[in-house]
């Protein structure tokens, strides 16, 4: 299966949100990494049909059966229907997604309730759920009846660390049968998981590749130094400060060694993100 996007454009007035987005996506997990406001949600809205692109074309995989589900979507802000119970909501969406028998519907809902750890809250109304529980309902409905394409917009928001790990393991176990596009600014969502990562900045894809290939571009540019020893005037980008063995260390991106006391460290996805999206907790030294 392949999802092809060619030269997708979208503007609101004079504000160009997406510019010539081209992607050819096969089965597997594909990360769309970018800061808030870079166009990730707009792109998902276009792929799912909620928005019309201003230019370009999208070619979807072919559905060969009436029971083939093309797209499952978890929006960034998922609310569901507050007055429905979890079971009722999933039953309703099952009817929307296809012509299923009662037995098929019950089997599928039971399976997704178990996968996303909703057994204890399946009778509760959606308005009574915690943020993490609500997010898991959103994930369950996105994967109902195994869509060919699954669009996940910031899927781990509200999930605790255990739930995030379970979710990543689930994605890894099913990726061969789905085109999964995961949009996030949380780099840990994609680490050691995504088959390919697209960097989206200012409405454009500025880089793409496997995690390994992308990190090769930062080879010999990431450094660790004890805060007390940092006296260099060299330019660099601070990724983070952290404690180790009772001392404060700096993690820095710099083309040249920032200090005689600096030690090279292996680049991580967080370093790559900061190299493209400077600001927030990073700053030029």
């Amino acid at each position: 299966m392949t999802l092809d996007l060619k030269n997708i454009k979208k503007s609101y007035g004079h504000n160009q949100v997406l510019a010539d987005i081209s992607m050819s996506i096969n089965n597997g997990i594909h990360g769309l990494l970018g800061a808030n406001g870079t166009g990730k949600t707009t792109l998902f809205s276009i792929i799912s049909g909620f928005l019309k692109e201003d230019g370009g074309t999208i070619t979807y995989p072919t559905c060969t059966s009436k029971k083939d589900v093309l797209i499952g979507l978890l929006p960034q802000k998922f609310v569901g229907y507050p007055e429905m119970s979890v079971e009722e909501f999933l039953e309703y969406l099952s009817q929307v997604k296809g012509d299923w028998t009662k037995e098929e519907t019950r089997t599928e809902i039971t399976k997704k309730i178990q996968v996303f750890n909703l057994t204890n809250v399946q009778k509760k109304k959606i308005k009574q759920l915690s943020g993490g529980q609500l997010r898991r309902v959103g994930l369950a409905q996105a994967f109902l009846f195994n869509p060919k394409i699954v669009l996940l917009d910031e899927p781990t928001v509200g999930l605790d660390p255990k739930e995030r790990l379970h979710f990543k393991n689930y994605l890894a176990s099913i990726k061969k049968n789905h085109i999964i596009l995961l949009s996030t600014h949380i780099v840990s969502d994609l680490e050691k998981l995504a088959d390919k990562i697209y960097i989206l900045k200012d409405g454009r894809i500025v880089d793409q590749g496997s995690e390994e290939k992308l990190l090769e571009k930062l080879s010999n540019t990431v450094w660790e130094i004890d805060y007390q020893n940092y006296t260099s005037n060299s330019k660099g980008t601070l990724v983070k400060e952290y404690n180790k063995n009772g001392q404060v260390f700096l993690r820095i991106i710099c083309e040249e060694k920032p200090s005689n006391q600096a030690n090279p460290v292996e680049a991580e996805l967080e370093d790559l993100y900061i190299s493209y999206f400077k600001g927030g907790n990073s700053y030029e030294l």
Side-chain angles (χ1 to χ4, degrees):
M1 293 190 300
T2 304
L3 171 67
D4 278 317
L5 284 70
K6 292 184 179 180
N7 305 118
I8 299 299
K9 301 178 179 68
K10 184 65 181 178
S11 297
Y12 296 103
H14 297 293
N15 180 28
Q16 189 173 45
V17 180
L18 296 174
D20 295 315
I21 299 296
S22 294
M23 308 164 74
S24 184
I25 308 173
N26 300 315
N27 286 18
I29 301 171
H30 303 265
L32 194 62
L33 184 61
N36 290 329
T38 56
K40 302 189 302 298
T41 296
T42 298
L43 182 59
F44 273 21
S45 296
I46 289 173
I47 295 172
S48 59
F50 283 96
L51 279 180
K52 176 65 177 175
E53 65 275 12
D54 296 333
T57 60
I58 303 177
T59 304
Y60 297 92
T62 301
C63 290
T64 58
S65 165
K66 290 183 178 180
K67 291 191 174 182
D68 281 344
V69 178
L70 180 61
I71 294 176
L73 170 66
L74 172 67
Q76 186 175 20
K77 295 180 180 179
F78 171 78
V79 294
Y81 291 124
E83 294 298 330
M84 285 186 176
S85 71
V86 172
E87 278 185 332
E88 289 169 342
F89 178 69
L90 295 178
E91 287 172 1
Y92 168 73
L93 283 186
S94 295
Q95 295 172 11
V96 171
K97 290 192 174 191
D99 185 17
W100 310 96
T101 67
K102 289 184 178 180
E103 182 178 354
E104 289 171 328
T105 299
R106 174 47 47 196
T107 298
E108 176 64 8
I109 289 174
T110 299
K111 185 182 300 183
K112 291 304 186 285
I113 282 176
Q114 291 173 347
V115 166
F116 293 102
N117 193 25
L118 295 166
T119 304
N120 293 335
V121 297
Q122 59 185 312
K123 301 295 185 183
K124 278 190 174 184
K125 288 188 176 182
I126 286 179
K127 68 180 181 181
Q128 298 173 317
L129 302 180
S130 68
Q133 291 166 344
L134 179 62
R135 203 63 180 163
R136 298 203 304 276
V137 174
L139 289 167
Q141 63 82 28
F143 283 97
L144 274 176
F145 295 104
N146 305 312
K148 292 178 179 291
I149 302 167
V150 184
L151 305 174
L152 304 172
D153 197 352
E154 304 286 355
T156 66
V157 173
L159 301 184
D160 65 32
K162 183 179 178 181
E163 291 165 349
R164 287 184 184 221
L165 180 59
H166 175 74
F167 170 63
K168 291 179 72 171
N169 289 339
Y170 175 69
L171 290 187
S173 73
I174 67 167
K175 68 177 187 177
K176 291 182 179 180
N177 300 316
H178 301 269
I179 296 170
I180 300 172
L181 190 56
L182 193 161
S183 166
T184 187
H185 66 281
I186 303 172
V187 294
S188 60
D189 286 353
L190 301 178
E191 284 177 326
K192 312 301 181 187
L193 178 68
D195 298 295
K196 189 171 184 179
I197 296 172
Y198 297 84
I199 308 292
L200 187 64
K201 183 177 182 180
D202 299 328
R204 298 179 182 273
I205 294 174
V206 296
D207 210 345
Q208 59 183 281
S210 66
E211 180 177 347
E212 180 181 9
K213 291 296 183 182
L214 290 172
L215 293 183
E216 283 179 1
K217 300 177 181 182
L218 291 180
S219 179
N220 300 317
T221 66
V222 185
W223 309 87
E224 180 185 72
I225 182 172
D226 186 332
Y227 178 81
Q228 298 298 325
N229 292 330
Y230 186 78
T231 58
S232 171
N233 291 322
S234 297
K235 290 185 178 181
T237 300
L238 175 66
V239 177
K240 60 183 176 181
E241 298 181 18
Y242 51 95
N243 290 311
K244 187 171 76 172
N245 299 326
Q247 294 175 285
V248 179
F249 283 83
L250 306 179
R251 188 178 181 93
I252 297 167
I253 301 173
C254 193
E255 293 292 332
E256 58 188 43
K257 191 173 184 177
S259 169
N260 289 334
Q261 289 76 34
N263 295 311
V265 292
E266 187 175 347
E268 299 175 351
L269 205 53
E270 183 180 31
D271 304 315
L272 181 74
Y273 182 88
I274 294 298
S275 72
Y276 279 108
F277 303 99
K278 298 172 184 177
N281 292 329
S282 67
Y283 56 85
E284 295 295 322
L285 295 167

